[in-house]
Amino acid sequence: MAAPTFGYAIETLNTQHDRSGFNCGIESLDRYLLQQAGQDLRRRVAAPFILQDLDNQRIAGYYTLCATAINLQDLPPQQVKKLPRYPVIPATLLGRLAIDERYQGQGLGSFLLFDAFGRSLRSEVASYAVLVDAIDEKASAFYQHHQFLPFPDQQRRLYLPMATIASMFEE
């Protein structure tokens, strides 16, 4: 995945990051970064990561990761056959992913997605898949373009098995 053309850093959100100017065009994602992300980090319910434009100290994008679980019966039968018969299996939730409007169209969503894949893959906590709840059809198409599979009965809930993610990093 190509890196952004500006000087950047991907960092855990902290109090030094100016969140006030972030605008991705989706009010709920803007509000989350401004009002909730810091609290979620302090409470250890989500880990927000930001893509910092070092040239002008703007947040170009962000995503969040946290632990979750998938109900075994929600997966397609061909996947269930390969898994232990636990009622739920561990997963990593990519809770939010947003790019500021000034940086959209440059491939930064994919760049952050692959950073999230790498962090999920390197985690020492077991996870069967990365899970997303797409905010709309455009987001769902973005994730499906990156090989995510929809749950049979929940078309905007998608998952990507960790084995598939691992194979992306072997190439």
Side-chain angles (χ1 to χ4, degrees):
M1 180 57 42
T5 56
F6 56 86
Y8 71 94
I10 298 176
E11 306 170 334
T12 302
L13 179 69
N14 65 53
T15 57
Q16 313 307 185
H17 295 125
D18 179 10
R19 297 175 275 170
S20 63
F22 186 84
N23 178 13
C24 71
I26 299 174
E27 193 270 335
S28 62
L29 293 173
D30 296 339
R31 186 180 57 241
Y32 174 81
L33 181 62
L34 184 62
Q35 299 175 355
Q36 188 67 42
Q39 293 176 44
D40 283 358
L41 178 64
R42 284 189 300 281
R43 293 177 180 154
R44 298 184 156 287
V45 296
F49 297 93
I50 60 102
L51 177 64
Q52 180 84 20
D53 181 338
L54 298 176
D55 295 338
N56 58 33
Q57 298 304 304
R58 283 191 187 124
I59 294 177
Y62 78 94
Y63 68 88
T64 64
L65 292 176
C66 67
T68 191
I70 300 172
N71 290 320
L72 196 61
Q73 74 268 11
D74 290 344
L75 290 167
Q78 67 270 23
Q79 292 290 328
V80 172
K81 285 192 280 188
K82 301 174 187 176
L83 295 169
R85 299 291 177 245
Y86 303 136
V88 295
I89 55 172
T92 302
L93 177 65
L94 176 61
R96 290 168 180 81
L97 188 149
I99 303 298
D100 186 282
E101 287 181 324
R102 292 168 283 209
Y103 298 89
Q104 291 178 7
Q106 300 177 37
L108 298 181
S110 296
F111 181 73
L112 284 181
L113 183 62
F114 276 80
D115 187 75
F117 287 167
R119 288 177 196 275
S120 300
L121 195 58
R122 290 187 304 270
S123 174
E124 294 183 17
V125 176
S127 178
Y128 167 71
V130 171
L131 178 73
V132 296
D133 290 302
I135 197 164
D136 56 25
E137 290 304 317
K138 183 179 175 184
S140 180
F142 169 81
Y143 291 117
Q144 289 183 55
H145 172 77
H146 289 90
Q147 301 183 40
F148 278 78
L149 306 166
F151 282 84
D153 297 329
Q154 307 168 62
Q155 291 301 301
R156 282 211 202 139
R157 176 162 264 215
L158 303 111
Y159 70 100
L160 186 60
M162 207 59 76
T164 303
I165 293 170
S167 71
M168 292 175 179
F169 285 85
E170 292 170 358
E171 298 173 355

